[in-house]
Amino acid sequence: MTVLASVVVPAHNEEAVIGRCLTRLADGVHPGDLDIVVVCNGCTDRTAELARAAGARVVETPTPGKAGALNLGDDTATGFPRFYVDADIEVRGADLLRVAEVLREGKVLAAAPRIRLDTAGVSRIVRDYYRIWLELPYARDHHIGSGVMGVSAAGRARFDRFPDAIADDFFLYHRFTSDERRTVSDVEFVVHPARTTRDLVLRKIRVYAGNIQMRQLALAPVAAAHTRTGRLPDWLAVVRASPALATAVPAYVAVSGAAQLLARRKVRRGQLGTWERDASSRVTGAAA
């Protein structure tokens, strides 16, 4: 039986959501269509047990760390196109195969379904933050990342190993130009955002700190530092174009400002080995 695509799922203590993730990956595909590798890194819970029960191949390492898990998954995966999927998101296997078709055409090197946020139960501040975030160029210009990213064999050849850094999405995104990326709009994946303002700030601290780290390691273009002069900040340009978003500005500015400040402190103190984990979005979906 020919594998149509490989899926690497890094997982650190994800017993609450790994069953949900793997159930969705099995939706709409035949056995053997997807080569699914779950890399349990530093797990002390039932993640590996639940992943095996769901039919995934499991690789275990006592060392926590997403970059190392992605590299182990790459060493184990058997085919292309290849997808990197976070354990806390939901995407149908059939939808990944649709993206795989796009990648096999060879016109782009990286692709992903369009993102959909499940904002049920989130605070108003979280909801307002994402009203603006979803309109940013990063999210609208052939977005790949935020939980799902697929690459062709030629796309994967753009880099050797995932660097020992925390911003894997940022790293992959900037390996490709806009013309080399594509959002496949007729399929989607679901992100469960942080439910509380505190947990959203924790998520964003990790994002901003990872982005700073990538620039320090010269693994991302200078433009990604958002230090361009003579232009409005992306969020302000978005609000000017869509004045109805003005009511979301206080939430967006407050969350971004707090997270950026704490991220700079995190980097300054050399605390990049710590991982700000959002527990609020992982309260459902546990497998029995």
Side-chain angles (χ1 to χ4, degrees), residues 202-226:
L202 287 177
R203 277 196 179 194
K204 292 302 171 178
I205 290 171
R206 186 173 74 244
V207 170
Y208 287 124
N211 294 355
I212 293 170
Q213 183 186 31
M214 284 292 172
R215 292 191 291 270
Q216 290 178 341
L217 295 173
L219 292 172
V222 174
H226 301 293

Side-chain angles (χ1 to χ4, degrees), residues 99-113:
V99 179
E101 291 175 4
V102 172
L103 288 166
R104 274 194 290 269
E105 292 172 358
K107 296 178 181 179
V108 294
L109 301 178

Side-chain angles (χ1 to χ4, degrees), residues 57-162:
R57 291 197 292 141
V58 175
V59 177
E60 295 186 73
T61 173
T63 306
K66 190 173 182 182
L70 289 168
N71 287 326
L72 281 174
D74 262 342
D75 292 341
T76 307
T78 60
F80 287 97
R82 184 162 301 166
F83 293 90
Y84 304 101
V85 174
D86 288 352
D88 60 339
I89 64 92
E90 294 184 67
V91 61
R92 295 178 66 241
D95 290 347
L96 286 189
L97 291 184
R98 170 71 184 104
V99 179
E101 291 175 4
V102 172
L103 288 166
R104 274 194 290 269
E105 292 172 358
K107 296 178 181 179
V108 294
L109 301 178
R114 62 180 170 84
I115 187 172
R116 177 169 70 84
L117 267 68
D118 180 359
T119 57
V122 307
S123 71
R124 178 174 177 176
I125 290 177
V126 172
R127 187 175 291 107
D128 280 351
Y129 175 90
Y130 280 110
R131 285 176 59 203
I132 291 179
W133 186 89
L134 286 170
E135 299 301 320
L136 295 177
Y138 173 74
R140 294 181 63 85
D141 183 18
H142 294 297
H143 177 61
I144 54 174
S146 299
V148 179
M149 186 176 303
V151 293
S152 64
R156 181 59 185 81
R158 279 290 174 88
F159 63 99
D160 180 21
R161 308 283 282 176
F162 284 91

Side-chain angles (χ1 to χ4, degrees), residues 132 136-137 231-243 245-246 249 252-253:
I132 291 179
L136 295 177
R231 291 182 56 180
L232 292 173
D234 287 340
W235 70 266
L236 186 53
V238 164
V239 174
R240 288 190 65 174
S242 301
L245 292 174
V249 168
Y252 185 85
V253 171

Side-chain angles (χ1 to χ4, degrees), residues 14 66 86 88 165-170 199-214 259-260 262-264 266-267 271-272 274-279 281-282:
E14 297 285 11
K66 190 173 182 182
D86 288 352
D88 60 339
I166 59 178
D168 55 287
D169 280 359
F170 191 81
D199 284 303
L200 177 58
V201 170
L202 287 177
R203 277 196 179 194
K204 292 302 171 178
I205 290 171
R206 186 173 74 244
V207 170
Y208 287 124
N211 294 355
I212 293 170
Q213 183 186 31
M214 284 292 172
Q260 288 175 19
L262 293 170
R264 287 193 291 269
K266 175 183 175 75
V267 173
Q271 296 175 334
L272 289 170
T274 60
W275 187 270
E276 292 80 10
R277 186 178 179 89
D278 159 36
S281 61
R282 291 174 165 84

